[in-house]
Amino acid sequence: MGTSADEAAREATSTPAVRVAARLGYVANGLLHLILGGIIVSVAFGANADSDQSGAFKAIAAAPLGFVALWALAAGLWALGAWYVLDGFLQRDRPGTKGKAKKWGRRVSLWARAAVYIALGGIAASVALGSRPNGDQSTEQASQGVLSLPGGPFILGAAGVAVGAIGVGFVVIGVRRGFRKKVDLPPGAPGKTVVAVGVVGYIAKGVSLATVGILVLVAAVQVDPDAAGGLDAAIQTLVGLPFGPVIVAAVGFGFLAYGVFCVVRARYARLDS
């Protein structure tokens, strides 16, 4: 990666306006998870709703001045995605070959997050413009496209494993409290509360992502795109398990906790690489 790009990224991230935009992006992400958590809890109690990001955006669109809120969310999510792009450039070299490999691993991880937030911002904008996307249908169509490729089942299976691994990673971060290095926690009880909320939130998000990964992997093994699905399909799968509504309610409250953590993170996030 060229030094000029690194220097440009460093200069941009030192700008107060860019840092404020990144913090507002964390708020937008938190609000999205709060709405999503509320929908998931309602599904646990028998409501019929789309329990994924598209469903959350459509719920916002139905509110008074919802299109304004959607554009604000889109702007915040795009800002957060841009921050992660810049942060990727700022990852430093460490001595040795392994150090360089780790640096590029961190860059890929950050840029993957950037792609997710930019895509979510795009969905929010499309809903604000009148589109009504279906997350599960989009996943099934994407899976069908992958399965039609040479070696498609193996590619789709690898994607399922990757999503599942990300979910496991969220659980591990939650259990090990790995997110603490990303925030400057306040002392005393407030800091302990933030940690507790973060643990619950990361574990819940990890469980949902792991379930999505399993669905995609099953679709690959069965060579059946209809078996794949996004977050809404994962929630419906969990509902069908023994004590499913209890599990889904726990996941929903976990998403609420993750949303609170993201909003708090906007205040305490470490924005220095």
Side-chain angles (χ1 to χ4, degrees):
M1 190 62 60
T3 304
S4 60
D6 297 347
E7 291 176 350
R10 193 170 303 283
E11 182 178 350
T13 55
S14 64
T15 305
V18 173
R19 290 172 175 262
V20 170
R23 294 187 188 279
L24 291 175
Y26 284 122
V27 172
N29 190 36
L31 292 175
L32 174 59
H33 279 84
L34 286 171
I35 296 168
L36 191 53
I39 293 174
I40 293 172
V41 170
S42 72
V43 170
F45 286 95
N48 183 17
D50 292 337
S51 51
D52 58 11
Q53 291 86 350
S54 297
F57 291 138
K58 286 183 280 189
I60 296 171
L65 295 178
F67 74 97
V68 177
L70 283 169
W71 279 115
L73 278 177
L77 292 167
W78 286 332
L80 188 56
W83 173 264
Y84 278 120
V85 170
L86 294 172
D87 198 18
F89 284 106
L90 299 183
Q91 299 306 303
R92 299 182 178 89
D93 280 316
R94 305 261 173 97
T97 304
K98 289 184 178 180
K100 291 183 178 180
K102 288 182 178 179
K103 179 191 76 171
W104 277 99
R106 292 192 302 273
R107 279 183 166 171
V108 170
S109 175
L110 290 167
W111 289 338
R113 288 186 225 174
V116 170
Y117 290 123
I118 291 170
L120 285 174
I123 296 172
S126 71
V127 174
L129 292 171
S131 175
R132 293 297 180 265
N134 184 299
D136 286 338
Q137 189 176 57
S138 297
T139 303
E140 291 172 8
Q141 290 173 348
S143 299
Q144 185 174 10
V146 172
L147 287 172
S148 66
L149 298 173
F154 296 100
I155 298 173
L156 188 61
V161 170
V163 173
I166 293 172
V168 172
F170 266 87
V171 173
V172 171
I173 290 173
V175 171
R176 299 181 64 178
R177 297 165 173 79
F179 54 83
R180 290 183 299 180
K181 61 185 178 182
K182 301 176 182 178
V183 292
D184 290 316
L185 292 172
K192 292 179 180 178
T193 302
V194 172
V195 170
V197 169
V199 168
V200 174
Y202 268 86
I203 291 175
K205 189 171 177 68
V207 169
S208 63
L209 286 173
T211 306
V212 171
I214 291 171
L215 291 177
V216 174
L217 186 58
V218 168
V221 172
Q222 296 180 348
V223 196
D224 179 11
D226 292 338
L231 180 58
D232 183 58
I235 296 300
Q236 296 303 324
T237 298
L238 291 175
V239 167
L241 297 175
F243 303 103
V246 176
I247 296 172
V248 171
V251 171
F253 283 114
F255 267 70
L256 290 171
Y258 187 79
V260 171
F261 175 79
C262 289
V263 173
V264 173
R265 184 177 179 178
R267 167 65 178 83
Y268 297 109
R270 292 178 181 172
L271 299 180
D272 297 314
S273 294

